[in-house]
Amino acid sequence: MATTDSFSTRYDSTTDSVSSFGLLVLRIAVGATALQAGLIKALDIGAVVSFMDSNGFKMSKFAAILVTATETAGGILLLLGLLTPVAACGVIAAMIDAWAVNVSGGAFWSQPFNVPFLVAFAATALLFTGAGAYSVDAKAFGRARWPGVITVGLFLVAIAAAVATWVLLNGTNPLRFTSPAA
């Protein structure tokens, strides 16, 4: 069967308005969640530093500023659909570490599915699918979706950044099979 311009099995997010609307909704949800988390931290950075101190972070002020900037900038960029792969990369890394903070106090399966866990997966979906036609990426750069090599590379960068940040700034293994000793 021949393929014509009017019927194609290839997915094109720039012309599929229903999928692009779905990506817009997902971008708004993930971007707003990340932005809110970042702004809450920005408005009381002292509490964030104290929280990080109590959770074993070294250089807790640096860590607090890093996560605040990443969540705020990532949230804004995702809301706009601007540099979506880079924004998603930052949000993924921040949410992996936020998830690690949540599970480091007990056995990792005690709280496996919480907000940071879900936001990390949603940001990963945006990284691989792109921002859709209703985005600055599509309008300014002509890219509703970025090339696979960029998205896979940024996914690996996000994982590496999360692991490096956790190891360098916290230094503990967040994944335990039993609750840590008191």
Side-chain angles (χ1 to χ4, degrees), residues 32-59:
T33 301
L35 179 59
Q36 180 196 30
L39 291 177
I40 288 171
K41 288 173 181 68
L43 294 173
D44 194 0
I45 198 76
V48 179
V49 172
S50 295
F51 175 81
M52 293 200 156
D53 276 335
S54 69
N55 279 287
F57 278 84
K58 303 166 193 127
M59 299 190 306

Side-chain angles (χ1 to χ4, degrees), residues 26-158:
L26 183 60
R27 274 194 1 257
I28 290 170
V30 175
T33 301
L35 179 59
Q36 180 196 30
L39 291 177
I40 288 171
K41 288 173 181 68
L43 294 173
D44 194 0
I45 198 76
V48 179
V49 172
S50 295
F51 175 81
M52 293 200 156
D53 276 335
S54 69
N55 279 287
F57 278 84
K58 303 166 193 127
M59 299 190 306
S60 55
K61 186 168 187 170
F62 171 74
I65 291 168
L66 182 66
V67 72
T68 300
T70 301
E71 289 175 350
T72 303
I76 291 168
L77 292 173
L78 286 176
L79 283 169
L80 296 172
L82 175 60
L83 301 173
T84 302
V86 175
C89 176
V91 170
I92 292 166
M95 291 301 113
I96 288 172
D97 282 344
W99 173 77
V101 167
N102 288 339
V103 300
S104 65
F108 76 91
W109 58 77
S110 63
Q111 293 187 50
F113 306 111
N114 51 34
V115 173
F117 183 88
L118 182 60
V119 173
F121 274 89
T124 301
L126 286 170
L127 174 64
F128 286 106
T129 60
Y134 307 124
S135 66
V136 175
D137 284 344
K139 302 299 181 201
F141 305 120
R143 292 187 175 274
R145 181 172 45 212
W146 292 75
V149 68
I150 291 174
T151 58
V152 170
L154 285 172
F155 180 70
L156 295 175
V157 166

